[in-house]
């Protein structure tokens, strides 16, 4: 199931017919039942209820002394811990914002290179038989290698600096993006390439008008997957060998049995993940505006 | 130069050309798929400004012939000559769903006023209100008109239409016939129209070419003014002959 479908947007039912897409009844034509994912104002907030309940229950574990706050610190304590990490950092951990900047940089650089390489390879493999024969087996092989098994290898090869972490992030980001973009290009209706020939489109025009927009829906699904994979890879890579960054903070906190700090850092990772996810969603809404289920809204 | 004078100039130019210029010249054309012959010994000439309807049973090779003329298939034997600008409209309107209607029509045009030209063409096919619509929101007939506008905007000498009205209801189909004839009268491109429908062929074409077993089995020339009366004695006779050639014997039946 694609990310779009998870949001209740049907991906496969792209069919013509404006009236049908609008759900308007017209007597002269066969009418199909249409269910539209209408965005009512209450919907957003309804989705917030269950997380809030969990948060309240979590706080109650503290109020009724059910679990030691050393093991599961309540949300109220996490705000204090978070604030202290920002305002009064101590040398053992460093400041939260400092760690955030370092980790974000590693993520951004790694993700950027991974994504660029993935897009280039996917385009080459998707558009030419030679490219496919040369590239696809390599990437398919690469994807079967357990990524985190490579961390010690990279440690030996590149030491404990930024490079091995960036490489792990790049690898994690590139595989899903490559696979989805490649599949997206291959899924483009061959008739549209034929149309391009009939209209005498040049290579660049074909790329801009057929290949990129045609592969985009699937590529965006890949982008989301690769963002998730890249964040995960960063967390793991930073915990195994680092002397700075969010992952390093977690390792230090574990040494001093400070679960509250670990929770705060995990929260920061979560927020970062949500932000990147939100960005992709915005991109999806813009780039896929032509779909009838979205047009109708 | 105004649109009207430009069209008039085009018509004048084409009318001079009509005196014998061939837009399509096919001699001894053959095409086989994996050893199975689909077309053989096809001789077909289409003059400038002429409307030729190509009919035949399903699988008789109509689309194959059209694809060869459109330059989409080079694996044929024999001689194929196509002169001038060619535009194609497919049975499925084949619009890019991610480009708005106007951009679909302007696709591949290189001139600076490409959008203005596309808009003018869309107005001519009656879609002036849909310039910024997404293709997937159009009705079937509207999508076909966009496809027609996209072909016309290239100002072709030859339009290859592969059952462009096949998926439309009878009423919309008649509207499309009128539209095609109106546009043809103004610009006079040669048209090669593939259809299943004998009535459609007889309503529009100067010449009806019947394809069977990979060969041209029969031809009918129609020299009546358009619009034509379906009940015209001459047409009724031609209809019966064509249907008989196609292997259908009921009087007036449509394939
Ligand atoms: N690419 C191809 N590979 C193999 N066989 C093909 C190919 N294209 C067409 N054929 C065969 O050639 C024959 C003629 O096909 P074509 O599409 O030209 O028929 P048609 O007259 O257009 O039929 P219809 O009216 O159903 O569209 C068919 O038997 C078809 O199976
Ligand atoms: Mg066909």
């Amino acid at each position: 199931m694609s990310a779009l479908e998870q949001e209740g947007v049907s991906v496969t039912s792209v069919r013509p017919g404006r009236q049908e897409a609008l759900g308007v009844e017209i007597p002269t034509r066969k009418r199909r039942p249409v269910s539209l994912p209408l965005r009512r104002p209450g919907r957003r907030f309804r989705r917030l209820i269950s997380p809030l309940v969990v948060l309240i229950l979590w706080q109650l574990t503290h109020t009724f002394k059910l679990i030691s706050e050393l093991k599961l610190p309540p949300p109220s304590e996490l705000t204090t811990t978070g604030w202290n990490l920002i305002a009064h950092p101590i040398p053992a951990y460093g400041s939260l914002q400092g760690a955030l900047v370092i980790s974000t940089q590693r993520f951004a650089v790694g993700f950027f290179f991974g994504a660029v390489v993935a897009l280039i390879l996917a385009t080459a493999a998707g558009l030419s038989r030679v490219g496919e024969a040369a590239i696809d087996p390599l990437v398919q092989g690469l994807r079967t290698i357990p990524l985190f098994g490579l961390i010690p290898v990279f440690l030996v090869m590149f030491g404990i600096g930024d490079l091995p972490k960036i490489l792990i992030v790049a690898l994690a980001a590139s595989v899903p993006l490559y696979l989805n973009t490649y599949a997206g290009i291959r899924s483009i209706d061959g008739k549209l390439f034929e149309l391009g020939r009939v209209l005498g489109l040049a290579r660049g025009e074909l790329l801009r008008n057929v290949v990129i927009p045609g592969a985009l829906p699937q590529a965006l699904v890949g982008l989301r997957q690769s963002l998730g994979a890249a964040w995960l890879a960063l967390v793991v890579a930073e915990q195994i060998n680092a002397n700075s960054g969010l992952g390093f903070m977690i390792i230090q906190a574990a040494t001093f049995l400070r679960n509250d700090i670990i929770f705060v850092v995990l929260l920061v990772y979560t927020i970062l993940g949500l932000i990147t996810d939100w960005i992709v969603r915005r991109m999806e809404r813009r780039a896929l505006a032509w779909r009838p289920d979205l047009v109708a809204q | 130069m105004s649109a009207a004078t430009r069209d008039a100039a085009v018509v004048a130019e084409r009318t001079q050309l009509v005196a014998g210029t061939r837009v399509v010249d096919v001699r001894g054309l053959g095409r086989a798929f994996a050893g199975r012959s689909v077309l053989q010994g096809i001789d077909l000439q289409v003059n400038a400004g002429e409307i030729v309807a190509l009919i035949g049973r399903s699988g008789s090779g109509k689309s194959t012939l059209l694809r060869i003329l459109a330059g989409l298939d080079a694996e044929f034997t024999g001689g194929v000559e196509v002169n001038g600008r060619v535009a194609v409209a497919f049975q499925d309107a084949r619009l890019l769903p991610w480009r708005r209607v106007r951009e679909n029509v302007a696709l591949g045009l290189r001139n600076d006023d490409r959008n203005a030209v596309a808009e003018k063409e869309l107005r001519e096919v009656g879609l002036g209100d849909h310039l910024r619509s997404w293709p997937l929101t159009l009705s079937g007939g509207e999508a076909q008109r966009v496809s027609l506008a996209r072909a016309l905007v290239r100002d072709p000498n030859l339009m290859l239409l592969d059952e462009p009205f096949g998926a439309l209801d009878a009423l919309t189909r008649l509207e499309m016939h009128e539209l095609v004839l109106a546009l043809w009268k103004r610009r006079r491109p040669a048209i090669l129209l593939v259809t299943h429908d004998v009535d459609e062929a007889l309503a529009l074409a100067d010449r009806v070419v019947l394809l069977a077993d990979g060969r041209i089995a029969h031809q009918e020339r129609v020299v009546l003014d358009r619009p034509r009366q379906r009940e015209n004695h001459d047409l009724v006779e031609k209809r019966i002959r064509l249907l008989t050639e196609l292997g259908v014997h009921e009087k007036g039946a449509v394939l």
Side-chain angles (χ1 to χ4, degrees), chain A residues 52-275:
Chain A
L52 273 175
V53 169
V54 170
L55 217 59
I56 290 168
L57 288 176
W58 184 358
Q59 184 68 38
L60 288 180
T61 61
H62 174 68
T63 317
F64 295 106
K65 304 259 179 286
L66 295 177
I67 306 174
S68 150
E69 61 178 49
L70 283 180
K71 289 179 183 160
L72 185 66
S76 57
E77 194 191 319
L78 295 185
T79 18
T80 329
T81 307
W83 173 247
N84 285 335
L85 281 175
I86 294 169
H88 318 288
I90 52 170
Y93 305 109
S95 74
L96 189 59
Q97 62 272 33
L100 180 66
V101 168
I102 290 170
S103 291
T104 310
Q105 277 171 356
R106 287 175 185 150
F107 178 85
V109 175
F111 190 86
F112 177 77
F113 282 110
V116 168
V117 170
L119 289 176
I120 291 173
L121 291 182
T123 310
L127 291 181
S128 92
R129 300 244 164 258
V130 179
E132 181 193 9
I135 296 164
D136 203 49
L138 286 180
V139 183
Q140 299 291 347
L142 187 68
R143 117 189 199 191
T144 59
I145 298 176
L147 190 60
F148 301 137
L150 282 178
I151 293 179
V153 179
F154 282 7
L155 188 67
V156 174
M157 284 164 84
F158 308 110
I160 63 163
D162 280 342
L163 186 60
K165 288 155 201 95
I166 288 171
L167 279 176
I168 291 285
V169 170
L171 270 178
S174 61
V175 172
L177 190 58
Y178 167 88
L179 293 174
N180 281 285
T181 307
Y182 171 65
I185 293 175
R186 277 299 154 99
S187 74
I188 297 171
D189 190 349
K191 288 176 172 179
L192 295 183
F193 288 100
E194 219 175 74
L195 174 73
R197 272 175 71 189
V198 165
L199 296 180
L201 297 191
R203 261 188 109 72
E205 285 173 313
L206 202 64
L207 208 62
R208 212 172 47 248
N209 290 297
V210 177
V211 178
I212 293 174
L216 200 57
Q218 190 70 35
L220 284 171
V221 171
L223 184 61
R224 271 173 141 190
Q225 287 178 7
S226 67
L227 282 168
W231 279 121
L232 187 66
L234 183 71
V235 177
V236 175
E238 284 192 338
Q239 284 185 29
I240 290 180
N241 46 41
N243 44 24
S244 61
L246 291 171
F248 170 72
M249 225 172 192
I250 289 182
I251 290 304
Q252 290 292 90
T255 318
F256 297 109
L257 302 177
R258 289 286 305 270
N259 261 10
D260 55 334
I261 292 183
I262 298 182
F263 273 109
V264 168
V265 177
L266 290 180
L267 210 64
V268 171
Y269 275 128
T270 309
I271 292 169
L272 290 173
L274 285 176
I275 290 174

Side-chain angles (χ1 to χ4, degrees), chain A residues 14 18 194 205 208-209, chain B residues 67 94 98-99 110 137:
Chain A
V14 176
R18 180 166 76 107
E194 219 175 74
E205 285 173 313
R208 212 172 47 248
N209 290 297
Chain B
R67 288 173 50 82
R94 218 172 279 196
W98 41 75
R99 291 282 180 266
R110 304 282 153 72
T137 66

Side-chain angles (χ1 to χ4, degrees), chain B residues 75-152:
Chain B
E75 310 270 295
F76 56 85
T77 54
V80 172
E81 216 179 287
V82 178
N83 301 310
R85 289 178 299 279
V86 181
V88 186
F90 301 92
Q91 174 161 12
D92 54 319
R94 218 172 279 196
L95 306 175
L96 297 179
W98 41 75
R99 291 282 180 266
R100 291 179 196 271
V101 162
R102 188 186 60 189
E103 280 66 43
N104 260 286
V105 173
L107 197 65
L109 296 182
R110 304 282 153 72
N111 32 336
D112 292 336
D113 60 343
R114 53 206 292 269
N115 281 333
V117 175
E119 279 175 25
K120 177 182 160 274
E121 206 60 66
L122 279 163
R123 292 214 174 82
E124 263 184 47
V125 300
L127 286 178
D129 292 338
H130 285 285
L131 302 176
R132 306 249 322 136
S133 298
W134 294 111
L136 290 176
T137 66
L138 299 175
S139 74
E142 287 167 345
Q144 277 306 349
R145 279 189 276 164
V146 177
S147 163
L148 212 55
R150 184 179 57 195
L152 284 165

